[in-house]
Amino acid sequence: MAASDWATKDFYKVLGVKKDASQDEIKKAYRKLARENHPDSNPGNQAAEERFKEVSEAYAVLSSKDKRKEYDEQRSMFGQFRGGPGGFGSGGGFRPPGGGGTQADFDMSDLFGGLFGGRGRGRQRPPGRKGDDLETEATITFEQAVDGATLPLRMTSDEPCTTCHGTGARPGTTPKVCPKCQGSGMVTGASGGVFAMTEPCDLCRGRGLIVEHPCDTCHGSGRAPTSRTLNVKVPAGVKDGQRIRLKGKGGKGDNGGPNGDLFLLVHVEPHRLFGRKGDHLTITVPVTFDEAALGAQIQVPTLDGPPVRIKVPAGTPTGRTFRASGKGATTKNGGRGDLLVTVEVQVPAELSDAERAAVEAFREARGAGSPRDGMFEAVS
């Protein structure tokens, strides 16, 4: 889409949001409308397909901070040049900034030439348009997050039509240069006989081309929703909620412009045994009372290798954490974090006669002292 087309479209209205809407509000509105009008959900529904393209086009501009700023500036400037209150077309005369010179010293085509990509006096062709930035989400397993994985992602984006190769014309035909603007996409006319004003051509809508026989796929727009499968490598050590930028993997550019970027939001499924703490893995293992009191050597499972042996010293309290070096998650530099093993002393819900007798004998041997005695002394 030519930048000059922005001035004639209200992208905020397309998404149903206010002009001062936050990026989150814009994203939320886009996702709702995209789901409702996606071609996969509305097969054969031409109206839904057109609506999906409008929504995608609006989001591509408003989701980018730089494009949104440029769009707002062009809309504001275009409104002034169209002759709104206080605008340049109101017949009140205009002098260039600084107060010097005359009206004849300032050619409005210079201003619009800069505003719409240098298409003023020189009638240059529009520069290549960068492809849209795309965003998608993927859910991976805990193991894939630790070791890395390659995921096949099904992507749908608004890209140059594969039937007409972006020309908008039916195969076997070609677009013609607009006879009104001679292919520049801009026309210059007099406003009240005072000065010349340049604005987007109303015949070709700023494209510089006229499509007499529109493509049956994209209906003359030159762009159409395209589905493709993309193999994306998720690096080892990725965390839940992490946003990964894949440069050049977004929408394809027009007229030789670069491809957009793909932003992948990663969700990691929780594991039944293991957790994450930075580059370290965590696990809680149960130990019996006698193991904690007398000490023991216990085996602990690892995520992707043989078990490790942990020495539990005599008198270990519940909640104590031990470290198994190099048994954690993969780090950014290719190393491994540690496995943090927290012990939890288990109290049996039921005791056999022999166990009960042993515990009672322990109580008698321990004596009448209580570990809570010091608490009462502290508040007396």
Side-chain angles (χ1 to χ4, degrees), residues 265-327:
L265 180 62
V266 179
H267 301 287
V268 180
E269 293 178 339
H271 195 276
R272 186 174 64 89
L273 294 179
F274 296 95
R276 286 282 296 273
K277 187 177 182 181
D279 292 330
H280 305 310
L281 297 183
T282 63
I283 187 173
T284 299
V285 296
V287 296
T288 62
F289 170 76
D290 59 284
E291 288 175 328
L294 302 177
Q297 291 275 350
I298 63 173
Q299 281 195 328
V300 177
T302 59
L303 184 65
D304 55 1
V308 294
R309 294 185 69 85
I310 298 293
K311 181 181 179 180
V312 179
T316 295
T318 190
R320 183 173 177 180
T321 298
F322 301 90
R323 184 183 297 266
S325 299
K327 299 299 181 180

Side-chain angles (χ1 to χ4, degrees), residues 11 14-15 49-59:
F11 291 145
V14 171
L15 294 181
E49 182 178 340
E50 291 297 323
R51 178 63 171 152
F52 178 77
K53 289 195 290 185
E54 291 178 358
V55 169
S56 299
E57 181 183 54
Y59 182 69

Side-chain angles (χ1 to χ4, degrees), residues 152-166:
L153 297 181
R154 182 73 170 173
M155 303 294 300
T156 300
S157 59
D158 191 25
E159 299 182 357
C161 176
T162 56
T163 301
C164 65
H165 304 289

Side-chain angles (χ1 to χ4, degrees), residues 232-243:
V232 175
K233 185 175 181 179
V234 177
V238 66
K239 298 176 177 61
D240 182 51
Q242 186 171 339
R243 192 167 181 256

Side-chain angles (χ1 to χ4, degrees), residues 74-353:
Q74 291 184 12
R75 288 278 294 177
S76 176
M77 186 68 73
F78 187 72
Q80 291 179 328
F81 278 86
R82 293 289 291 179
F88 300 147
S90 59
F94 176 74
R95 294 182 181 273
T102 65
Q103 294 172 356
D105 295 328
F106 186 77
D107 186 348
M108 294 297 291
S109 64
D110 290 337
L111 179 57
F112 274 102
L115 184 62
F116 295 121
R119 299 203 303 176
R121 292 175 176 175
R123 296 188 181 279
Q124 303 171 7
R125 298 294 299 169
R129 171 183 176 270
K130 180 179 181 293
D132 296 335
D133 290 338
L134 305 178
E135 184 168 335
T136 189
E137 302 179 31
T139 300
I140 61 177
T141 65
F142 191 88
E143 290 85 352
Q144 288 175 320
V146 171
D147 299 327
T150 299
L151 307 177
L153 297 181
R154 182 73 170 173
M155 303 294 300
T156 300
S157 59
D158 191 25
E159 299 182 357
C161 176
T162 56
T163 301
C164 65
H165 304 289
T167 66
R170 186 181 303 160
T173 67
T174 57
K176 294 184 178 181
V177 175
C178 176
K180 186 171 184 179
C181 66
Q182 300 301 313
S184 70
M186 307 294 290
V187 292
T188 302
S191 178
V194 179
F195 56 82
M197 185 176 74
T198 302
E199 61 183 353
C201 176
D202 58 355
L203 182 59
C204 66
R205 297 183 180 180
R207 291 189 64 189
L209 299 172
I210 297 294
V211 177
E212 295 181 331
H213 305 285
C215 169
D216 294 330
T217 301
C218 66
H219 307 286
S221 68
R223 299 183 71 84
T226 302
S227 296
R228 56 192 168 106
T229 299
L230 183 68
N231 290 322
V232 175
K233 185 175 181 179
V234 177
V238 66
K239 298 176 177 61
D240 182 51
Q242 186 171 339
R243 192 167 181 256
I244 302 174
R245 179 189 180 191
L246 301 167
K247 187 174 179 61
K249 299 299 183 180
K252 294 182 180 179
D254 282 336
N255 298 325
N259 292 344
D261 300 331
L262 173 63
F263 292 90
L264 174 63
L265 180 62
V266 179
H267 301 287
V268 180
E269 293 178 339
H271 195 276
R272 186 174 64 89
L273 294 179
F274 296 95
R276 286 282 296 273
K277 187 177 182 181
D279 292 330
H280 305 310
L281 297 183
T282 63
I283 187 173
T284 299
V285 296
V287 296
T288 62
F289 170 76
D290 59 284
E291 288 175 328
L294 302 177
Q297 291 275 350
I298 63 173
Q299 281 195 328
V300 177
T302 59
L303 184 65
D304 55 1
V308 294
R309 294 185 69 85
I310 298 293
K311 181 181 179 180
V312 179
T316 295
T318 190
R320 183 173 177 180
T321 298
F322 301 90
R323 184 183 297 266
S325 299
K327 299 299 181 180
T330 303
T331 62
K332 292 182 179 179
N333 58 11
R336 300 279 290 194
D338 301 331
L339 176 62
L340 306 180
V341 182
T342 301
V343 297
E344 185 177 77
V345 180
Q346 285 195 332
V347 178
E350 296 181 359
L351 296 173
S352 66
D353 292 342

